[in-house]
Amino acid sequence: DVKVTQSSRYLVKRTGEKVFLECVQDMDHENMFWYRQDPGLGLRLIYFSYDVKMKEKGDIPEGYSVSREKKERFSLILESASTNQTSMYLCASSIPGQGVYEQYFGPGTRLTVT
Amino acid sequence: GESVGLHLPTLSVQEGDNSIINCAYSNSASDYFIWYKQESGKGPQFIIDIRSNMDKRQGQRVTVLLNKTVKHLSLQIAATQPGDSAVYFCAETLSYNYGQNFVFGPGTRLSVLP
């Protein structure tokens, strides 16, 4: 089974701190994604990556950056955390071009910025 | 961007009854759709997918119906069980994006009553 793990389930940070969220997948997937999930808004794409060192902005990239130095690892960085970044963050991975575009999700990191 | 679905509604059904969860999508060009299930404290999990050249697809205890005329998806769960309690999301994309640009709905919370 595909396994996507995220470094923390719960995280509390202060305004202005630099925050790193780590995601690792064990199935050699090319695509990796970062979403945030807020009540009533569904999942919104922050960034995705289709290969090592490649990244594309999603719908809401402002205030975030990403890093993909290895195929299995995709990091989300909040350069200076703000209270409006309090949310659930979900990482996902998928294989492109297989006809079924299922994304495999991690358990999520609930980040609170105070 | 295009949006999928409505604000988060809740559906309560008796155990053993059938459940129908609805989703409206707004991009008439979308040609690939997925339903996800998200249990409390977990990431979304793939249930079933359907392409726009189909009206209906069946899985184990689940059926997805696609009505392209009114841009509507539904997920039917037969003989609903307590383990079906979760939030259900629909997601749409254009298949030429190889699953890199899904738009997710806000979800519907399904509660199964004993």
Side-chain angles (χ1 to χ4, degrees):
Chain A
D1 283 347
V2 176
K3 193 166 184 183
V4 180
T5 57
Q6 295 183 230
S7 51
S8 304
R9 294 301 302 272
Y10 300 94
L11 211 51
V12 180
K13 295 293 182 179
R14 292 191 172 180
T15 301
E17 280 193 83
K18 190 169 186 175
V19 182
F20 293 87
L21 303 182
E22 305 285 339
C23 175
V24 177
Q25 50 95 3
D26 66 358
M27 284 301 292
D28 203 37
H29 285 175
E30 285 84 357
N31 291 339
M32 295 189 76
F33 307 82
W34 275 107
Y35 295 93
R36 62 177 284 176
Q37 182 177 29
D38 300 289
L41 294 179
L43 276 69
R44 292 181 291 165
L45 182 64
I46 304 171
Y47 269 97
F48 72 94
S49 169
Y50 54 90
D51 203 349
V52 175
K53 296 190 185 295
M54 305 304 290
K55 60 184 179 183
E56 294 284 342
K57 292 180 179 179
D59 299 319
I60 51 165
E62 295 78 18
Y64 303 94
S65 61
V66 290
S67 172
R68 192 157 180 210
E69 296 297 318
K70 293 184 178 181
K71 191 174 186 180
E72 67 270 19
R73 187 180 297 270
F74 192 35
S75 302
L76 180 70
I77 303 151
L78 287 66
E79 294 289 342
S80 178
S82 63
T83 54
N84 64 11
Q85 292 178 309
T86 291
S87 187
M88 171 69 85
Y89 290 88
L90 289 163
C91 175
S93 70
S94 72
I95 304 172
Q98 294 289 305
V100 177
Y101 306 123
E102 174 185 359
Q103 293 186 11
Y104 297 84
F105 285 86
T109 296
R110 185 165 294 281
L111 172 67
T112 302
V113 182
T114 61
Chain B
E2 297 286 352
S3 64
V4 175
L6 307 170
H7 62 276
L8 184 66
T10 299
L11 175 68
S12 297
V13 298
Q14 290 293 138
E15 182 177 353
D17 286 352
N18 297 334
S19 303
I20 300 176
I21 300 169
N22 297 304
C23 173
Y25 65 94
S26 57
N27 186 353
S28 57
S30 292
D31 61 356
Y32 183 80
F33 306 86
I34 288 183
W35 279 99
Y36 283 94
K37 172 186 180 183
Q38 186 175 21
E39 297 176 87
S40 182
K42 297 183 179 179
Q45 188 175 19
F46 175 93
I47 301 173
I48 192 167
D49 62 349
I50 189 167
R51 298 183 182 282
S52 59
N53 61 354
M54 304 172 71
D55 298 321
K56 179 179 179 178
R57 188 156 191 231
Q58 288 185 294
Q60 189 175 12
R61 278 202 310 120
V62 295
T63 301
V64 55
L65 299 178
L66 175 61
N67 185 332
K68 294 181 288 294
T69 303
V70 294
K71 292 182 286 187
H72 184 268
L73 275 167
S74 67
L75 178 71
Q76 300 178 1
I77 304 173
T80 310
Q81 302 170 358
D84 295 327
S85 292
V87 175
Y88 290 82
F89 299 95
C90 64
E92 60 171 316
T93 193
L94 297 160
S95 59
Y96 73 78
N97 285 325
Y98 300 111
Q100 291 176 346
N101 294 95
F102 275 100
V103 175
F104 292 82
T108 296
R109 184 177 303 280
L110 176 65
S111 294
V112 181
L113 307 173

